[in-house]
Amino acid sequence: MDKEPRGERCGQCGAGELEPGFVEDAGEGSRGFARWVAGPLERGIFGGAKRFGRERWEIEAFRCVGCGHLELYARHRA
């Protein structure tokens, strides 16, 4: 994960210090981190999200130390 997005400032308050982190997925069978999946959410017959054949990207999260706003980026395929 990159330390900080280059040239990025908080989109909410404009402060420049963004601290790196990640969005946790603690669901059953999860890998411990969340992913972004291309396309609109479609549910299967058991209520789970349909993901087969869709691109998946790791979510990078940065938190503004000033106001707490989260900036999310999907720059790397999962």
Side-chain angles (χ1 to χ4, degrees), residues 11-59:
Q12 187 69 25
C13 73
E17 191 173 355
L18 298 175
E19 118 181 277
F22 64 97
V23 178
E24 181 181 28
D25 179 1
E28 186 176 324
S30 74
R31 296 183 181 182
F33 60 90
R35 294 173 291 183
W36 180 86
V37 179
L41 173 63
E42 295 178 37
R43 295 190 183 273
I45 59 172
F46 297 111
K50 291 184 177 180
R51 300 178 308 270
F52 185 74
R54 294 186 182 195
E55 290 183 16
R56 296 173 193 161
W57 297 74
E58 290 180 22
I59 296 174

